[in-house]
Amino acid sequence: MARTPPQVAREIVPDTNAEPNSSEVDELEEDGWMDDVKLFANADNSPLSFLFHSSLNRYTEEREEITELIQGHGGVVVNEEENADIILADDKSPSYQKLYQRITRTTAQKH
Protein backbone atom coordinates (compact mmCIF):
# COMPACT_ATOMS: atom_id res chain seq x y z
CA MET A 1 0.00 0.00 0.00
CA ALA A 2 1.45 3.37 -1.01
CA ARG A 3 1.86 6.01 1.64
CA THR A 4 0.90 9.60 1.06
CA PRO A 5 3.82 11.92 1.74
CA PRO A 6 3.28 14.41 4.56
CA GLN A 7 2.16 17.89 3.69
CA VAL A 8 4.98 20.40 4.01
CA ALA A 9 4.20 24.00 4.77
CA ARG A 10 5.45 26.29 2.06
CA GLU A 11 6.92 29.64 2.84
CA ILE A 12 5.06 32.50 1.25
CA VAL A 13 7.56 35.02 -0.02
CA PRO A 14 6.16 38.50 -0.55
CA ASP A 15 6.74 40.20 -3.86
CA THR A 16 9.35 42.79 -2.94
CA ASN A 17 8.74 44.64 -6.20
CA ALA A 18 5.02 45.06 -5.56
CA GLU A 19 3.80 48.46 -4.47
CA PRO A 20 1.91 48.38 -1.16
CA ASN A 21 -1.76 49.09 -1.56
CA SER A 22 -2.41 51.47 1.30
CA SER A 23 -5.95 52.20 0.13
CA GLU A 24 -7.03 48.68 1.12
CA VAL A 25 -5.45 49.08 4.55
CA ASP A 26 -6.98 52.54 4.97
CA GLU A 27 -10.38 51.18 4.03
CA LEU A 28 -10.15 48.40 6.61
CA GLU A 29 -9.03 50.83 9.31
CA GLU A 30 -11.89 53.21 8.44
CA ASP A 31 -14.34 50.32 8.78
CA GLY A 32 -13.06 49.84 12.33
CA TRP A 33 -11.85 46.31 11.73
CA MET A 34 -8.98 46.83 14.18
CA ASP A 35 -11.08 48.28 17.01
CA ASP A 36 -11.26 46.04 20.06
CA VAL A 37 -9.96 42.99 18.19
CA LYS A 38 -8.37 40.49 20.56
CA LEU A 39 -5.81 38.97 18.26
CA PHE A 40 -3.62 37.94 21.18
CA ALA A 41 -6.05 35.92 23.26
CA ASN A 42 -6.30 32.20 23.94
CA ALA A 43 -9.44 30.21 23.17
CA ASP A 44 -10.62 30.86 26.75
CA ASN A 45 -10.18 34.60 26.10
CA SER A 46 -7.19 34.84 28.48
CA PRO A 47 -4.40 37.05 27.10
CA LEU A 48 -1.34 35.65 25.36
CA SER A 49 1.82 36.79 27.13
CA PHE A 50 4.85 38.16 25.31
CA LEU A 51 8.43 38.65 26.45
CA PHE A 52 10.99 40.86 24.77
CA HIS A 53 14.25 38.91 24.80
CA SER A 54 17.36 40.82 25.87
CA SER A 55 18.54 40.77 22.25
CA LEU A 56 15.92 43.49 21.62
CA ASN A 57 16.98 45.82 24.45
CA ARG A 58 18.51 48.37 22.07
CA TYR A 59 15.20 48.81 20.20
CA THR A 60 13.52 50.98 22.82
CA GLU A 61 11.13 52.92 20.59
CA GLU A 62 10.12 49.85 18.60
CA ARG A 63 9.50 47.90 21.80
CA GLU A 64 7.21 50.65 23.08
CA GLU A 65 5.24 50.67 19.82
CA ILE A 66 4.97 46.89 19.76
CA THR A 67 3.94 46.82 23.43
CA GLU A 68 1.08 49.22 22.65
CA LEU A 69 -0.03 47.02 19.74
CA ILE A 70 0.14 43.86 21.84
CA GLN A 71 -1.83 45.41 24.67
CA GLY A 72 -4.28 47.04 22.28
CA HIS A 73 -5.13 43.65 20.84
CA GLY A 74 -5.62 41.72 24.06
CA GLY A 75 -2.09 40.56 24.88
CA VAL A 76 0.22 41.34 27.78
CA VAL A 77 3.96 41.90 28.03
CA VAL A 78 5.72 40.06 30.85
CA ASN A 79 9.22 40.29 32.32
CA GLU A 80 9.81 36.64 33.19
CA GLU A 81 10.51 33.97 30.58
CA GLU A 82 8.56 31.30 32.44
CA ASN A 83 5.44 33.49 32.22
CA ALA A 84 5.73 34.04 28.45
CA ASP A 85 3.72 32.26 25.80
CA ILE A 86 5.72 33.97 23.06
CA ILE A 87 9.31 35.25 23.15
CA LEU A 88 10.20 38.02 20.72
CA ALA A 89 13.91 38.03 19.85
CA ASP A 90 16.52 39.07 17.31
CA ASP A 91 17.45 35.79 15.65
CA LYS A 92 20.79 37.23 14.49
CA SER A 93 21.94 37.84 18.06
CA PRO A 94 24.36 35.37 19.74
CA SER A 95 22.21 35.51 22.89
CA TYR A 96 19.23 34.39 20.81
CA GLN A 97 21.20 31.36 19.63
CA LYS A 98 21.74 30.36 23.27
CA LEU A 99 18.02 30.82 23.99
CA TYR A 100 17.09 28.75 20.93
CA GLN A 101 19.42 25.92 21.91
CA ARG A 102 18.11 25.88 25.49
CA ILE A 103 14.46 25.85 24.36
CA THR A 104 15.15 23.15 21.79
CA ARG A 105 16.91 21.03 24.40
CA THR A 106 14.11 21.53 26.96
CA THR A 107 11.40 20.73 24.41
CA ALA A 108 13.21 17.56 23.32
CA GLN A 109 13.44 16.40 26.95
CA LYS A 110 9.70 16.86 27.44
CA HIS A 111 8.88 14.68 24.43
Side-chain angles (χ1 to χ4, degrees):
M1 177 186 259
R3 290 180 39 193
T4 304
Q7 294 289 325
V8 178
R10 295 180 186 202
E11 182 178 352
I12 298 173
V13 180
D15 182 1
T16 56
N17 296 323
E19 290 294 319
N21 188 346
S22 63
S23 65
E24 291 175 359
V25 173
D26 292 341
E27 182 180 322
L28 289 171
E29 288 176 347
E30 288 171 8
D31 288 343
W33 75 277
M34 294 180 64
D35 297 344
D36 301 323
V37 175
K38 288 193 172 186
L39 296 174
F40 303 126
N42 291 302
D44 65 358
N45 215 26
S46 64
L48 286 173
S49 56
F50 293 79
L51 171 76
F52 287 100
H53 183 259
S54 61
S55 63
L56 298 175
N57 284 348
R58 66 179 178 218
Y59 301 104
T60 307
E61 289 180 28
E62 292 86 352
R63 287 173 50 142
E64 290 174 8
E65 290 177 26
I66 293 169
T67 297
E68 288 179 19
L69 289 170
I70 290 170
Q71 292 171 341
H73 291 287
V76 295
V77 176
V78 297
N79 294 320
E80 301 293 329
E81 185 178 317
E82 55 270 2
N83 297 331
D85 296 310
I86 299 167
I87 300 174
L88 304 171
D90 177 357
D91 65 346
K92 304 293 188 252
S93 166
S95 63
Y96 166 80
Q97 298 302 324
K98 292 176 187 174
L99 170 72
Y100 178 79
Q101 290 171 357
R102 184 171 44 78
I103 289 173
T104 303
R105 208 173 28 251
T106 302
T107 304
Q109 291 172 355
K110 289 181 180 180
H111 297 283

